[in-house]
Amino acid sequence: MWYKTVINRRSIGSAGEDMACKYLEKNGYQILERNKHYSRFCEIDIIAKVKDTVVFVEVKSRKTDNYGTPFEAITKSKYENICKGVRYYLSEHPTKKYRIDVIGITLEPEVKIEHLKNVSI
């Protein structure tokens, strides 16, 4: 499989974001931006739109679930940083309908993509 050549966390994360974008597009989402940085601590992986809703997507990728699922990697502080990014984006691009989603990707023993919509902690 193509991902077997992935050797570090950054490249696993990048491959996961590529897979997440393809998954979203296949499901009717339009990708607006990727890897939008607002500060050293605040990055939104994917900003997409579906119908009239802007969706801020955090992508977590893991080679396996041996050390926890991708969703377990989203801490309260990570979620708070995502929320800061959402506020920055909305100050630049006002919109009434928006939500935060999380996509978890596990590569082995088989590729698994899970999509949680409208998350909060």
Side-chain angles (χ1 to χ4, degrees):
M1 296 193 160
W2 63 270
Y3 63 83
K4 298 267 187 200
T5 60
V6 174
I7 55 174
N8 63 43
R9 281 190 275 173
R10 178 169 281 164
S11 56
I12 289 173
S14 180
E17 288 178 17
D18 290 343
M19 292 172 70
C21 283
K22 289 177 185 171
Y23 165 86
L24 290 169
E25 289 172 332
K26 182 178 174 184
N27 286 285
Y29 291 70
Q30 174 190 2
I31 306 301
L32 302 176
E33 295 191 50
R34 285 185 65 176
N35 301 312
K36 181 70 173 171
H37 289 268
Y38 288 100
S39 73
R40 192 174 89 162
F41 302 106
C42 181
E43 175 196 5
I44 298 175
D45 294 330
I46 301 170
I47 302 171
K49 190 169 187 177
V50 62
K51 299 181 182 174
D52 62 344
T53 302
V54 174
V55 183
F56 301 93
V57 183
E58 176 67 14
V59 180
K60 288 295 180 188
S61 305
R62 297 286 179 267
K63 186 174 179 182
T64 69
D65 283 343
N66 292 348
Y67 299 102
T69 67
F71 297 129
E72 291 174 318
I74 300 176
T75 63
K76 183 178 180 184
S77 62
K78 177 65 177 170
Y79 180 77
E80 289 170 352
N81 285 334
I82 293 168
C83 290
K84 286 178 191 175
V86 169
R87 287 191 294 274
Y88 284 128
Y89 183 89
L90 294 175
S91 71
E92 297 170 354
H93 310 278
T95 186
K96 292 182 181 180
K97 293 183 78 176
Y98 64 92
R99 69 176 196 246
I100 299 172
D101 289 4
V102 178
I103 293 180
I105 298 175
T106 307
L107 299 176
E108 293 179 1
E110 62 186 12
V111 175
K112 180 170 72 171
I113 299 175
E114 296 179 279
H115 185 180
L116 298 179
K117 298 179 182 177
N118 204 25
V119 300
S120 63
I121 293 179

